[in-house]
Amino acid sequence: MAFITGTPTLSRFDLYTSNATAPSGYSIGALHFGVNGKAFRLSLVGASALVMGNLLQESAEDTSYENMAVLATAIGSEYLNVTNGTATITSAQFEGGSISVYTAGGVAVGDEYTITGITGTLTTGGALQVYLDRPLRAAFTTSAKVNMKRSPWSGVIQAPATTQTGIAVGVALAASTLAQYAWVQSKGVGAVLSDGSTFAVGSDLGTPSGTAGCASVYVAGTTHQRIGVSRQAAASAKCISALIQID
């Protein structure tokens, strides 16, 4: 079996299985390297099981967690007081996520923090205490607005057939169970499903243009994201060899 190896204090975790808990010492979005320049990200599977070889994207954009209201919070606080959006959430959903200043309110636009946990009232419109990777660098007033985003690797799903609802994050290594932790490949030589597009060896690959989970020919200037380079000609509904270049 192929394993990722870390420092002696970290557990090894099989690349080709999913698990109900994150491996010891790892968090969502953790980046680790394998042989021949391959790279993998620890992900939390979204609402549907993953299919081996499928191109994946982050959870679909949720605009109710953009331009969010905050409550006054003092400089140096380890958490920010935020008013929840329009859904009940869990702390695990936002593990490794990001919170950043969208509209100034005594703080600089663009000030950004990593989310380490959330407590408070997790239901719609509740008062949240969003814990951060470092103390607040400025006091927040109620005139500030923030964006609270999940980690790109929290709630990964099959890349949609046409219109992206999030950024591409990797390729599924195995048929992983929904709501479990699994590694996805984000860099290096790998196998990815191909659609019916016409492309040759050396063609740039992008997110789907008609078939969910399938890489397509990438055309610059379109709304699709480039994800790598093909190492063989297109073969509809087949897994082709590609140099994945997401990370």
Side-chain angles (χ1 to χ4, degrees):
M1 291 185 180
F3 288 90
I4 288 175
T5 56
T7 63
T9 59
L10 298 180
S11 301
R12 298 195 304 170
F13 190 63
D14 190 355
L15 282 173
Y16 304 103
T17 63
S18 57
N19 198 287
T21 58
S24 177
Y26 295 93
S27 59
I28 292 174
L31 174 65
H32 282 278
F33 295 92
V35 297
N36 296 328
K38 294 181 180 182
F40 308 92
R41 292 277 191 172
L42 182 64
S43 301
L44 180 63
V45 181
S48 298
L50 303 185
V51 176
M52 185 185 298
N54 265 204
L55 182 63
L56 307 173
Q57 73 154 47
E58 65 179 328
S59 61
E61 180 187 20
D62 187 341
T63 57
S64 66
Y65 291 90
E66 298 171 358
N67 195 24
M68 300 174 73
V70 302
L71 302 177
T73 312
I75 186 173
S77 173
E78 296 181 353
Y79 61 84
L80 178 62
N81 294 300
V82 180
T83 301
N84 193 14
T86 58
T88 297
I89 64 171
T90 68
S91 181
Q93 277 180 275
F94 285 89
E95 174 192 342
S98 170
I99 193 163
S100 58
V101 179
Y102 182 69
T103 301
V107 290
V109 171
D111 196 18
E112 188 268 348
Y113 301 84
T114 296
I115 298 170
T116 60
I118 301 176
T119 60
T121 305
L122 305 182
T123 53
T124 299
L128 305 176
Q129 290 81 52
V130 181
Y131 284 82
L132 312 169
D133 61 325
R134 61 191 187 281
L136 290 180
R137 298 193 295 173
F140 278 67
T141 69
T142 55
S143 59
K145 302 288 185 182
V146 296
N147 291 331
M148 191 169 87
K149 307 291 282 185
R150 296 176 69 170
S151 164
W153 297 275
S154 175
V156 299
I157 59 174
Q158 181 188 62
T162 53
T163 304
Q164 284 184 247
T165 56
I167 63 170
V169 295
V171 174
L173 294 171
S176 301
T177 306
L178 61 90
Q180 291 200 349
Y181 294 87
W183 292 95
V184 302
Q185 186 175 355
S186 59
K187 183 179 181 181
V189 173
V192 61
L193 284 171
S194 169
D195 67 8
S197 302
T198 300
F199 55 82
V201 174
S203 292
D204 282 345
L205 296 176
T207 50
S209 61
T211 306
C214 290
S216 181
V217 63
Y218 171 73
V219 179
T222 67
T223 57
H224 295 278
Q225 178 184 343
R226 183 182 178 279
I227 61 98
V229 182
S230 176
R231 301 182 67 228
Q232 66 185 94
S236 182
K238 308 293 184 184
C239 250
I240 63 168
S241 181
L243 182 63
I244 302 165
Q245 296 175 320
I246 296 172
D247 262 323

